[in-house]
Amino acid sequence: MPLIMLSSPHLHGGDSIRMQMLTVILALLPATLVAVYLFGWLAVLMICTTIAVCLLTEAVCLKLMGRPLSTLLDQSAALTGLLLALTLPAATPWWMVVLGAVFAIVLGKQVYGGLGYNIFNPALSARVILLISFPLQMTTWIVPMSMPDAALNLYDISEALTLFLHGPAALAAGFDAVTMATPLGHIKTEATLGVPVADALAAYHYSYLDAFLGAEAGSLGETSALALLIGGIFLLARHTITWHIPVAYLGTMALLAGIFHAIDPTHFAPPLFHLFAGGLMLCAFFMATDPVSSPVTRLGQIVFGIGCGVLTWSIRSFGGYPEGAMFAVLLMNCAVPLIDHYCRPTVYGHGSD
Amino acid sequence: MPAMLRTLAQRLGLMSDTFPGGIHPEEHKLSAGLPIEMNALAPIHILPMKQHIGEACSPLVSVGDRVLRGQKIAKAEGYLSVPVHAPTSGTVVKIEEHAIAHPSGMGMPSIFIESDGDDAADASLQPLTDWINCDPTMLRERARVCGLAGLGGAVFPTFIKLVKDQRYPIDTVILNGIECEPFLTNDHALMQAHADEIVVGLAMLRHMVGATAALIAIEENKPEAIAALQQAVADAAMDQVQVVVLPVRYPQGSEKQLIYSLTGKEVPAGKLPMHVGVLCQNVGTTKALHDAILLGRPLTERIVTVSGDALPTPANLCVRLGTPMRSLLERQGLKSMEGVELIHGGPMMGERLRHPDIPVVKSTNGILALSHGFMSAAHSVEQPCIRCGHCSEACPVSLVPNLLADQCRADQFDKAESYNLFDCIECGCCSYVCPSNIPLVHYFRYGKGQLALQRREQAFAEASRQRSESRMARIEREKAEKAARRSRVRKAHAPAASDAKTADAKVAADTKPATGTDSKEHS
Amino acid sequence: MSNLLYGLLSLGAFALLAGLILAIAQKLFRIEGDPMADKIDALLPQTQCGQCGFPGCKPYATAVAGGEADVNHCVPGGEKTMLQIADLMGVEPKALEEEAAAPRIAFVREDECIGCTLCIKACPVDAIVGAPKQYHTVIVDHCTGCELCIEPCPVDCIDMLTKPELIEHWSWPLPDTKRSQLAHQRRGQHAGHA
């Protein structure tokens, strides 16, 4: 220390990357617990696999690039692994899970130069690669354990292991018995047949309470709006994220859905359905707020959130895919440098120019 | 933003009730509430020729001269400058370069005075007891002659601010008793001990600039100072003086941020507070103004907080300018300089010192002895930016520090300038909150320095080019003259020369060679 | 076949039209002088030292703009200036032949000066003042350190001194962190390859 030129300040607040990552991991705990409750050992297996593979891949990448392995301790790879697992359908076979984790670290993060340089959210980009490459497996949804007609006992480790290793097709119970559609997927399919939204929801036995609590088909960690809200509020309280992105994102979604539902209720789903459905909550609180791939300026974050909202709602309502949250976030990630450039706040003393 | 909107935003918690951004670092005010102790005279006082922002002074004394306390020993050169005075009576023993509190480690010509122990004062300056009937310009001249500069740390020559300008009438005088830097308590101690003098100084300031309203701003972590000043204002029975208690927030003591906190006005970029009708003075400077006018005493001492986690007994000392810092640290029980880092000023904006034999100057509001462990927390290894945006949030001037730092690191200085690099006040809030330990302020200083260097080089190249071009033009002209002269000679021999050539020669002869004389004037 | 003909004809007509527009534009928006030479001149340090082999900065700039000189002859400008000119001209950067020395300024030892005014005449920027049979002296703030005054002096009374570093002109170096140094090295390599 003595010989180097040191500039003020000589005091530090004590925040660190590791601290921020650990806070987010902690905030994901409720959603993780719900995932374990809904999908039993299968969830545990998947989460452990992604985290382990992500850490391993990160270590290999760091080694290859000649960087210190101590960077692993910042926990960003572990967080990427956890986030990836929570966005995957429970029926994803093991090799796809491993592939996704490798994609997330290598293509999502390290090719750009490592932590802090990636344009896209690593977990989301890996998930989208998987979705586009393996559309069938990525849209097969296991009936969660909370449902009375769950044919599988995922709390039994051997059954979960069979499913994890061999996929749903290998099960004795038969493919159709263990899988079901997500609410978003269901209304999308029905809409193509010309069935009004309200009838489609009634046929699905849709309940807002179940959707809010998480008792519905979907990816591991995205079903429970409640658990994700608890995590999001924890992040807000800890000041790891600010309200701008989630509020702008969810607000835009609710507003657009509300307006169009009021105009044409047969074709457009109600706002509350949109808010609780699919990966919106997970994306709004954990993906869109990923600091590296979101704007730094407050105004920029609001613009970013609105953009995500418009895109998500548009894809869900008019696109080919039933869910658009992850595409929306990734598309908006591209626009971040531009948003940051134009949304800089007015500097003190320049208010009148 | 209209005031109503602002109030609404504050109510909803969307906006801070002071200024935007800022942080609340741990206060570490170890010497809070301690009385001011008088420091004994040092055997040698070292007075650098520049203790203010602006041009350096030139010595008025020579080696061997005997000087008295308060005697002017160096005169101000140029407008933005104030003189230096002898801090005690004694003999000038040498005038040479000595290290000062500057990050470069470069020296500054300094006058060394050996104290004779008498501390005899120079009585040539008369106290202006009837200041209320004095012309403001006369009082302003007194502030200049007495060497007053902002004692909050920026050391801007005080007299320059004390101007009564028809175009910019000043309606409010703000006394800055914020002292938001951690560790520092010198203003706190001063306000407790000298509240009456500060209030008289405030009255002088109001008289000098013709202001009606006055605000004394103190942060709420100094209840004793608040009480003392409220009592002093009540005793003096002054109207339109208000002691304003503000929440603790760094960098509230920064002039522009304080003006915003109190009045909601922004000082436009490149302008001074007087352009928005405000005069802002530190409480220490105000006390010094009182001493200069009412006691006829030039600025020769100041209150210094000597503190830090490595110092056994922190204290607030009244120290003569020029006292070597080593003696103060030893007085407060620091046994060895091993493993100790010294900071001149507070931990957020102060400069790290290379060694302790640096004299106390007008800007020395504190001297901190910090342990290596304490310092290294702020200077650990830089990690990649994760763009969390905490720096933008903490920036009191609404810059986007992480983008600026990227530009400075990549030598894209023009871009950095367009992102308002020069509006950075180097308060350090961004570096303080950065989870990646990026030395943001350091990058900004690098960028500012490089930009200044570029500008100097460009200006120099431009001036050289102009001189070179005018020299070329002159040589051409001289050639033409010579040719004309030759043709005139020829004309004398052959009377049928063309008229046009004569006209040309005349024009050339009328325009005198200019550059040679020009450069002499410049020298 | 007729389709092909139409295609050829329409494209040909379009090319003709475009050529016409370009020809008119060139006549209408013609710029007097050589803008490239001025741009290069603005990048040069204006020491007028002649180390490039040209009698000053402007002549060198004109030569570079005209393609008669390489971009790497400005010694005092150093690598920075070379890279800027190469970038402006859109040519490959070339390594410098000579390293730029630390900036220096001329100083006349006045007691030895005989007042011959030869150095005054040699100075390209009029930075030396004096009259015949009087001491000459260098204006410190104007001297570009070109050393052109050394040679003509008949009594060798001119020294080149290092320029005093002013505390006001001191600036912070780049932070001493691994990352910033890496960034700088990488950019250096990049500039070298580009």
Side-chain angles (χ1 to χ4, degrees):
Chain A
M1 193 149 75
L3 284 170
I4 329 169
M5 199 69 90
L6 292 180
S7 160
S8 61
H10 307 291
L11 210 58
H12 191 265
D15 196 4
S16 66
I17 297 181
R18 194 180 138 91
M19 196 69 127
Q20 289 203 7
M21 296 297 164
L22 284 173
T23 311
V24 181
I25 290 175
L26 203 61
L28 281 168
L29 202 64
T32 313
L33 289 177
V34 170
V36 173
Y37 168 69
L38 292 181
F39 300 104
W41 282 104
L42 198 52
V44 177
L45 284 170
M46 282 175 68
I47 291 169
C48 291
T49 313
T50 48
I51 292 180
V53 175
C54 278
L55 284 171
L56 195 72
T57 317
E58 175 109 332
V60 171
C61 287
L62 290 173
K63 195 87 195 162
L64 284 175
M65 293 194 295
R67 295 195 179 172
L69 280 180
S70 57
T71 313
L72 270 181
L73 293 177
D74 68 20
Q75 306 296 335
S76 59
L79 176 59
T80 302
L82 179 59
L83 274 173
L84 176 65
L86 294 183
T87 61
L88 292 176
T92 320
W94 69 271
W95 55 271
M96 226 185 277
V97 173
V98 171
L99 210 59
V102 174
F103 280 162
I105 296 299
V106 178
L107 298 180
K109 181 170 152 191
Q110 294 295 352
V111 288
Y112 296 103
L115 179 66
Y117 296 100
N118 46 303
I119 305 167
F120 303 106
N121 183 318
L124 266 193
S125 38
R127 196 213 190 265
V128 164
I129 294 174
L130 288 180
L131 176 64
I132 293 170
S133 314
F134 312 103
L136 178 66
Q137 287 91 332
M138 289 298 285
T139 47
T140 302
W141 313 96
I142 296 276
V143 179
M145 293 297 290
S146 64
M147 298 256 174
D149 51 348
L152 288 166
N153 183 13
L154 292 172
Y155 295 144
D156 174 16
I157 189 160
S158 62
E159 203 161 337
L161 206 59
T162 321
L163 186 59
F164 186 55
L165 292 177
H166 304 291
L171 287 173
F175 189 79
D176 287 337
V178 298
T179 62
M180 64 187 290
T182 62
L184 274 174
H186 180 72
I187 64 161
K188 182 112 238 157
T189 331
E190 296 297 294
T192 51
L193 302 173
V195 181
V197 170
D199 297 351
L201 287 180
Y204 188 81
H205 302 297
Y206 183 80
S207 130
Y208 283 119
L209 187 66
D210 283 350
F212 182 63
L213 295 176
E216 61 176 10
S219 298
L220 284 190
E222 68 178 27
T223 54
S224 173
L226 175 67
L228 292 164
L229 264 176
I230 292 172
I233 289 167
F234 173 71
L235 285 183
L236 283 170
R238 288 276 310 174
H239 206 78
T240 307
I241 63 171
T242 53
W243 57 268
H244 305 76
I245 293 178
V247 168
Y249 192 173
L250 298 175
T252 310
M253 275 303 285
L255 193 70
L256 275 176
I259 291 170
F260 280 85
H261 181 67
I263 294 171
D264 182 3
T266 53
H267 284 103
F268 297 100
L272 215 52
F273 170 80
H274 270 298
L275 287 184
F276 293 161
L280 181 67
M281 283 288 171
L282 186 65
C283 277
F285 283 106
F286 294 94
M287 300 295 189
T289 57
D290 169 26
V292 177
S293 52
S294 66
V296 283
T297 57
R298 297 290 165 252
L299 181 61
Q301 290 175 346
I302 291 177
V303 172
F304 180 83
I306 292 174
C308 288
V310 171
L311 284 172
T312 307
W313 180 81
S314 305
I315 295 171
R316 279 185 182 180
S317 303
F318 309 112
Y321 284 98
E323 171 60 312
M326 56 208 169
F327 291 111
V329 173
L330 288 178
L331 281 172
M332 287 310 289
N333 283 165
C334 309
V336 164
L338 201 67
I339 294 175
D340 265 343
H341 180 80
Y342 286 107
C343 294
R344 280 172 290 148
T346 312
V347 174
Y348 180 101
H350 291 267
S352 50
D353 17 282
Chain B
M1 198 186 289
M4 243 180 73
L5 254 175
R6 190 166 164 236
T7 324
L8 184 72
Q10 284 165 359
R11 288 277 156 73
L12 292 174
L14 298 179
M15 242 174 102
S16 96
D17 47 356
T18 51
F19 55 95
I23 52 173
H24 188 176
E26 207 181 318
E27 292 175 17
H28 293 292
K29 304 256 187 195
L30 307 174
S31 48
L34 295 179
I36 298 170
E37 293 172 51
M38 294 301 289
N39 183 46
L41 285 177
I44 294 267
H45 290 84
I46 307 159
L47 295 132
M49 286 298 92
K50 191 178 131 178
Q51 305 190 14
H52 50 264
I53 283 188
E55 282 132 288
C57 299
S58 53
L60 286 173
V61 291
S62 39
V63 174
D65 285 0
R66 189 181 139 75
V67 292
L68 295 171
R69 180 184 184 192
Q71 184 183 333
K72 190 155 94 176
I73 54 172
K75 71 168 192 291
E77 297 284 354
Y79 178 63
L80 192 64
S81 185
V82 285
V84 177
H85 301 84
T88 182
S89 62
T91 319
V92 177
V93 287
K94 60 181 173 181
I95 301 176
E96 62 175 41
E97 194 131 300
H98 186 80
I100 56 167
H102 192 273
S104 67
M106 288 160 100
M108 170 74 71
S110 306
I111 297 175
F112 290 66
I113 294 173
E114 196 176 69
S115 162
D116 61 9
D118 295 345
D119 203 21
D122 177 25
S124 58
L125 275 182
Q126 289 303 314
L128 299 170
T129 39
D130 192 27
W131 58 268
I132 194 83
N133 293 318
C134 283
D135 186 51
T137 47
M138 183 177 166
L139 300 176
R140 180 171 182 255
E141 179 58 16
R142 172 61 63 97
R144 194 183 70 81
V145 168
C146 287
L148 261 53
L151 298 182
V155 280
F156 188 78
T158 304
F159 77 97
I160 290 180
K161 291 170 151 189
L162 302 178
V163 59
K164 214 173 179 174
D165 192 325
Q166 295 298 320
R167 286 168 301 162
Y168 305 111
I170 286 170
D171 49 58
T172 313
V173 174
I174 294 174
L175 279 201
N176 185 346
I178 296 290
E179 200 167 55
C180 54
E181 274 266 12
F183 286 104
L184 299 189
T185 56
N186 55 311
D187 283 346
H188 184 170
L190 180 90
M191 286 189 280
Q192 253 179 285
H194 298 286
D196 293 329
E197 286 99 317
I198 291 170
V199 170
V200 174
L202 175 61
M204 291 171 175
L205 287 172
R206 280 212 299 192
H207 170 61
M208 288 167 83
V209 296
T212 46
L215 302 171
I216 304 175
I218 310 174
E219 282 190 345
E220 62 194 2
N221 60 357
K222 304 175 192 56
E224 307 92 341
I226 296 164
L229 274 166
Q230 272 167 344
Q231 186 61 45
V233 169
D235 289 350
M238 287 166 75
D239 54 337
Q240 293 209 48
V241 177
Q242 201 190 339
V243 178
V244 186
V245 181
L246 290 170
V248 179
R249 195 132 191 91
Y250 176 87
Q252 192 142 242
S254 163
E255 193 170 74
K256 291 180 172 181
Q257 274 59 45
L258 179 60
I259 290 171
Y260 188 84
S261 284
L262 290 173
T263 66
K265 288 180 195 165
E266 271 187 30
V267 181
K271 294 277 170 64
L272 292 170
M274 71 178 209
H275 296 118
V276 292
V278 174
L279 168 74
C280 194
Q281 285 290 0
N282 168 267
V283 284
T285 323
T286 312
K287 156 80 164 56
L289 182 74
H290 164 271
D291 292 353
I293 291 175
L294 214 53
L295 310 174
R297 203 185 278 169
L299 181 60
T300 56
E301 64 182 15
R302 67 156 301 147
I303 319 285
V304 178
T305 297
V306 187
S307 184
D309 70 324
L311 197 73
T313 50
N316 300 306
L317 302 178
C318 181
V319 183
R320 296 289 167 90
L321 300 181
T323 307
M325 292 178 187
R326 184 191 288 274
S327 66
L328 303 181
L329 293 167
E330 279 166 359
R331 181 188 195 274
Q332 298 315 125
L334 190 67
K335 295 282 188 303
S336 143
M337 302 292 167
E338 280 295 305
V340 172
E341 291 283 344
L342 300 180
I343 305 289
H344 180 250
M348 292 301 292
M349 289 187 75
E351 295 303 344
R352 174 168 172 262
L353 298 176
R354 292 170 183 228
H355 59 82
D357 294 313
I358 284 170
V360 168
V361 288
K362 289 174 187 174
S363 66
T364 311
N365 43 14
I367 304 164
L368 305 182
L370 303 178
S371 64
H372 266 319
F374 192 93
M375 274 279 277
S376 56
H379 297 289
S380 52
V381 182
E382 178 185 347
Q383 283 170 315
C385 171
I386 56 165
R387 298 169 42 86
C388 63
H390 289 183
C391 49
S392 312
E393 204 171 349
C395 181
V397 288
S398 306
L399 299 171
V400 189
N402 65 322
L403 299 184
L404 265 180
D406 281 347
Q407 289 153 358
C408 289
R409 189 187 294 119
D411 285 358
Q412 295 176 335
F413 303 120
D414 296 342
K415 189 108 191 262
E417 200 184 352
S418 74
Y419 273 51
N420 302 91
L421 175 62
F422 281 107
D423 286 292
C424 168
I425 58 170
E426 300 179 11
C427 63
C429 291
C430 48
S431 308
Y432 178 85
V433 297
C434 182
S436 303
N437 272 302
I438 302 173
L440 292 147
V441 174
H442 197 150
Y443 282 114
F444 303 154
R445 288 176 161 174
Y446 167 72
K448 286 178 180 177
Q450 293 299 309
L451 263 171
L453 180 71
Q454 267 181 19
R455 280 186 189 164
R456 275 199 307 276
E457 278 176 356
Q458 271 165 14
F460 183 73
E462 181 56 26
S464 302
R465 198 176 57 79
Q466 276 173 10
R467 277 199 306 279
S468 164
E469 276 173 4
S470 64
R471 173 174 175 270
M472 290 307 208
R474 193 183 67 231
I475 290 170
E476 288 293 313
R477 215 165 40 229
E478 279 166 3
K479 255 189 214 159
E481 268 170 54
K482 240 180 225 165
R485 230 177 289 138
R486 231 178 279 135
S487 77
R488 222 179 296 148
V489 176
R490 232 180 287 140
K491 203 170 86 176
H493 290 286
S498 76
D499 287 355
K501 260 188 188 165
T502 343
D504 271 359
K506 252 187 195 155
V507 170
D510 285 346
T511 40
K512 273 163 99 192
T515 26
T517 43
D518 268 356
S519 29
K520 257 173 242 167
E521 275 161 23
H522 284 307
S523 63
Chain C
M1 194 59 204
S2 68
N3 272 348
L4 188 69
L5 204 67
Y6 281 136
L8 279 174
L9 276 177
S10 59
L11 275 178
F14 182 73
L16 216 66
L17 188 75
L20 210 68
I21 293 172
L22 278 176
I24 295 169
Q26 201 208 355
K27 282 271 183 291
L28 277 179
F29 305 110
R30 201 187 154 79
I31 298 167
E32 294 299 325
D34 191 349
M36 194 52 116
D38 285 339
K39 275 188 193 162
I40 296 173
D41 192 37
L43 295 176
L44 295 173
Q46 305 296 332
T47 50
Q48 316 293 346
C49 61
Q51 290 182 72
C52 50
F54 291 86
C57 295
K58 190 70 196 271
Y60 175 56
T62 317
V64 173
E68 293 150 29
D70 267 333
V71 292
N72 61 343
H73 292 314
C74 181
V75 178
E79 195 184 352
K80 203 176 93 193
T81 306
M82 186 273 294
L83 286 173
Q84 283 173 339
I85 299 174
D87 191 43
L88 186 67
M89 291 285 295
V91 298
E92 292 280 303
K94 279 182 109 176
L96 291 175
E97 282 151 6
E98 225 175 307
E99 274 298 303
R104 295 197 296 174
I105 48 168
F107 174 75
V108 178
R109 293 195 301 276
E110 294 183 353
D111 36 350
E112 290 169 42
C113 175
I114 54 170
C116 68
T117 73
L118 285 176
C119 58
I120 297 182
K121 289 196 185 105
C123 180
V125 291
D126 283 336
I128 308 181
V129 288
K133 305 282 162 64
Q134 307 279 323
Y135 297 142
H136 303 340
T137 195
V138 177
I139 307 168
V140 176
D141 290 344
H142 290 183
C143 178
T144 63
C146 66
E147 306 188 7
L148 292 178
C149 51
I150 308 268
E151 172 85 31
C153 181
V155 292
D156 271 343
C157 72
I158 304 179
D159 291 327
M160 292 306 291
L161 304 178
T162 43
K163 216 169 178 174
E165 208 182 332
L166 294 174
I167 198 164
E168 289 83 6
H169 290 181
W170 178 85
S171 86
W172 283 86
L174 202 66
D176 198 4
T177 61
K178 255 193 197 144
R179 203 174 144 225
S180 59
Q181 284 174 354
L182 266 178
H184 256 246
Q185 275 170 18
R186 226 177 288 149
R187 209 177 36 261
Q189 285 167 6
H190 193 70
H193 289 305

